[in-house]
Amino acid sequence: MMDSMKKVAKSSCNDGFLLRVGLNDNKAGMQGLDKEKINKIIMEATKGSRFYENELKKDQQVNQRIEKMMQLKGKITTQQLLKAQLQVDRLVIELEQSRNLSSTIVHIDMDAFYAAVEMRDNPELKEKPIAVGSMSMLVREILAEYDSDFMPVGLDEAYLNITEHLEERLNWPEDKRRFFFNTESTTGRDKDDMNMSDKCNERECSSSPVLFDDNTSLTDDHLEHRGQSMENAVVFGTSAEEVVKEIRFRIEQKTQLTASAGIAPNTMLAKMCSDRNKPNGQYRIAPKRQAVLDFLEDLPIRKVPGIGRVTEKMLKALGIVTCSELYQQRALLSLLFSELSWRNFLDISLGLGSTHLERTFSEINTAEDQYSLCRELCRDLAHELQKEGLKGKTVTLKLKNVNFEVKTRASTVLSSVSTEEEIFVVAKDLLGAEIDSVAPHPLRIRLMGVRVSGFLSEEEKKYHQKSITSFLKSGKEIGFLRLQPEKSNQEYFAKNSEASQRGSFFDQKRAARQLNSESLSPNDAVGKQVSRDTKSSANFVEETKKVTGLQSSNLCKIFTCPVCFEEQSSSNLEELNRHIDECLNATLIKDTAEISKNDSSRQNTLNCLPQSKNENVGECQKNKTDQLARTYQSTSTSDSSTNNSTGKFAQIISDKSHRERQPSSLSDIARNVCMKQCLFPKRISQGNEDHFEKTEHTEGTSSSCSFEAKEDSVLVCPVCNSEQKTMSLVSFNRHLDVCLNKGLIQELTEKPDFPTKSFSMENSNRVGLD
DNA sequence: GCGGATCAC
DNA sequence: TATGGTGATCCGC
């Protein structure tokens, strides 16, 4: 038995299999477990079973996906990567400008698992009923006091937007912030436990799981504790941390279950924060860009909601484990993954997420009301569509029931729809089907949304290349200045506020690009977005507003082209965009020409670089793109050269001495190209001699004009393509910095909320000698 | 548009 | 602790 197990364990599939069926102690709460032992048990118990076979098969499929990806990667050319880098970095700037740090989002997560553990450790508790309840109960009881629109997710999680509460709370007297210990509870807790110090981080499992459910009588704290001495009271402060401590305190008093919480400027970060000090703890990311980036820097991508074991494995094959690595490889990722995926990766690595929670209305349970609401939504939607001259073929109905379960039902019709009646005909069928599905019970919903997608716009038929339509349709064309100047903010907002009902932030971005139009209408007149996903579409609305606002202000400024850095006389965005395109293309063409001249020699050079030690990267390791990609990584990260293969190639061209942790930014990539063109000659590179010799040797007699010619002549800036008079790398680097950063950084540093020093925007990388 | 894959809970 | 099911969404065909 053990022998056969060992065999399995040594099989090539083992890693993936363990990853798949085994434990991943990356997730919170698993750190203390003997992972290996448990994996062994699982392996033993499941070996030979159908389950096991199936898992092996699935794992093979994942491996094939990875292989496919690596092959794709091998075909990526330097210029493709360069262009991708430019485009992605433009988007980064745009995203940075729209970063919203003004909200305070809290994610509450009940420590159910730990309750179970405690129960295990105290077998006598097994006779008691295990905790049963839901956050929707705590809706009503506690959380709604902090955010009336708080969003339960599943049974044991909830998001709150406490931004408004924090403002109000500043003026609250102590009385309103005083809460009492439930002395009748049997938790045996020490009162000091909650004396406003940071006890909440001490991970005390002070309470036992007991029953709480919707029928439990939960009287108001003040009534319950009337007459109790102040010794049993605790007063919470007015900060976000204090608010969350208060919430957790009250939850525990009510339910005798502990909860963990995260506080952050958006939902994604908040969720990851609640994981940080679990159980019975909390963590906050300050609403500062640098704080967000610091939090993310070494965070394993697996911690990110939405990144599961498959994505983790695929990214690991690219050498990406942490969020900062995810950022560093953004250009490569944009070429290897779908737009939705890589933009999601980019969002993650920048720490961007939804800053708004969805809103729900109170229950609607009669078919009549539901049809009525549906028609109303169709009417609003039809308005929006007609205003934009759009017709769509797919109508989607979204419903959330009273248990916060969300369903979407879609129907595609042959002819496009745009009027209220046309949309309603389709939507009511979808609604009717849902009503029938639960009959004879009534359909009990608290959210409805209608969306129309699959457009062919009038606008699209005409030539209007730089229109908002093309901007939104082609993600890769998004430039930070490519926003429709003709439209007023109001119109722009209206158009894009009808975001996708699908959950993620990028879904909505994409939806917006497709000019989807949707109208979601809770019973309040505002028409807030509602979706189950934590990344609500409202976020997009907000960001859109911000971006548009910035664009407006940009119109008043003299514009400097981020490629050629010449000031542009025109303030017309279309013209500017055209200029950028031309400028970019011109640069790329020149680069391409120069690079391709030496392509064969470079290929040889790269192919004979020292092999990788990274077992996650297979044969493709040898290809030049891979090497190049890794070069970016290593030139940008001081300590990465020791733990990945990069290695030696990187040393050839990178500064051998001190180097700060830096990103592979636009300038990095440009420099790398530059290095390839100019810096291989020994006297310039100043790299590791041994490795250089290899490089030189392999380059051999192919005698690329690049190397030899440049050796004697000049350094050519890969950005502006002008020959540089100097042979001093210091001067040359200075020129590169100026050339690359001039316009962009200047633009950015004018924004107070955009410090230039960070892993994402640092551009002071040096090559060669300083 | 459908089925399989991925992911969260 | 130790396994499975479900729902939503995404992706490729």
Side-chain angles (χ1 to χ4, degrees), chain A residues 369-549:
Chain A
D369 287 347
Q370 288 161 1
Y371 281 117
S372 169
L373 174 61
C374 182
R375 179 175 280 282
E376 202 177 309
L377 293 172
C378 292
R379 182 161 52 238
D380 292 347
L381 183 54
H383 263 299
E384 300 293 335
L385 290 176
Q386 285 162 16
K387 195 163 68 181
E388 303 297 336
L390 296 168
K391 283 165 113 30
K393 288 190 172 180
T394 302
V395 176
T396 307
L397 180 76
K398 176 181 181 176
L399 300 171
K400 180 188 276 189
N401 67 20
V402 289
N403 296 322
F404 293 94
E405 295 160 342
V406 177
K407 285 181 179 173
T408 58
R409 295 289 181 263
S411 178
T412 302
V413 292
L414 290 175
S415 60
S416 297
V417 295
S418 65
T419 68
E420 173 190 342
E421 199 52 43
E422 287 169 344
I423 300 169
F424 184 64
V425 165
V426 184
K428 80 167 171 23
D429 280 351
L430 294 171
L431 178 57
E434 291 309 303
I435 292 174
D436 291 345
S437 73
V438 294
H441 299 291
L443 183 64
R444 303 173 63 194
I445 58 166
R446 51 185 306 152
L447 172 148
M448 184 186 296
V450 179
R451 176 179 59 170
V452 170
S453 56
F455 293 121
L456 187 65
S457 72
E458 292 302 315
E459 219 176 352
E460 200 177 332
K461 295 170 189 164
K462 302 172 192 167
Y463 169 73
H464 202 125
Q465 275 301 309
K466 296 294 193 283
S467 72
I468 192 69
T469 307
S470 60
F471 159 59
L472 291 170
K473 282 231 168 193
S474 171
K476 304 220 171 189
E477 290 301 315
I478 290 178
F480 66 98
L481 282 170
R482 285 171 186 268
L483 285 170
Q484 176 79 322
E486 292 90 347
K487 299 269 181 196
S488 72
N489 290 355
Q490 195 58 40
E491 287 168 325
Y492 189 77
F493 171 79
K495 178 184 285 185
N496 291 284
S497 63
E498 305 102 27
S500 164
Q501 309 207 348
R502 274 168 296 180
S504 82
F505 170 73
F506 280 112
D507 290 343
Q508 283 119 35
K509 289 273 192 180
R510 184 182 67 170
R513 283 193 301 280
Q514 290 169 346
L515 282 184
N516 279 4
S517 190
E518 164 188 56
S519 173
L520 288 166
S521 173
N523 61 353
D524 64 355
V526 190
K528 301 283 182 182
Q529 301 295 317
V530 192
S531 72
R532 180 182 174 280
D533 196 290
T534 57
K535 297 177 177 179
S536 90
S537 46
N539 182 48
F540 176 66
V541 174
E542 189 60 28
E543 296 204 5
T544 303
K545 279 157 93 177
K546 286 196 152 221
V547 171
T548 351

Side-chain angles (χ1 to χ4, degrees), chain A residues 692-737:
Chain A
F692 175 71
E693 294 296 342
K694 283 181 188 171
T695 305
E696 191 178 48
H697 176 71
T698 41
E699 191 261 332
T701 56
S702 58
S703 68
S704 146
C705 37
S706 157
F707 297 160
E708 310 234 329
K710 306 279 184 198
E711 195 168 1
D712 295 325
S713 55
V714 292
L715 296 170
V716 178
C717 170
V719 176
C720 67
N721 268 315
S722 64
E723 292 186 354
Q724 300 303 297
K725 302 286 180 249
T726 179
M727 281 305 289
S728 153
L729 287 182
V730 178
S731 305
F732 183 74
N733 279 324
R734 194 173 299 128
H735 167 83
L736 260 185
D737 275 338

Side-chain angles (χ1 to χ4, degrees), chain A residues 33 40 57 105 107 238 326 431 451 531 574 644:
Chain A
L33 298 178
K40 224 164 131 182
K57 196 183 86 187
I105 308 294
H107 180 249
T238 56
L326 193 67
L431 178 57
R451 176 179 59 170
S531 72
E574 283 195 23
N644 72 28

Side-chain angles (χ1 to χ4, degrees), chain A residues 225-284:
Chain A
H225 296 285
R226 183 157 49 195
Q228 285 193 350
S229 75
M230 296 299 265
E231 289 172 14
N232 289 328
V234 56
V235 174
F236 293 87
T238 56
S239 68
E241 278 97 339
E242 289 294 314
V243 170
V244 173
K245 281 179 193 172
E246 180 180 298
I247 293 171
R248 291 175 48 237
F249 173 81
R250 294 180 66 187
I251 289 174
E252 184 169 0
Q253 292 301 305
K254 291 279 189 196
T255 69
Q256 301 188 29
L257 289 174
T258 61
S260 298
I263 311 162
N266 64 53
T267 53
M268 177 189 76
L269 293 171
K271 184 168 171 65
M272 295 192 287
C273 282
S274 68
D275 201 54
R276 180 62 69 99
N277 281 328
K278 182 174 276 291
N280 199 16
Q282 64 187 64
Y283 186 84
R284 179 180 189 223

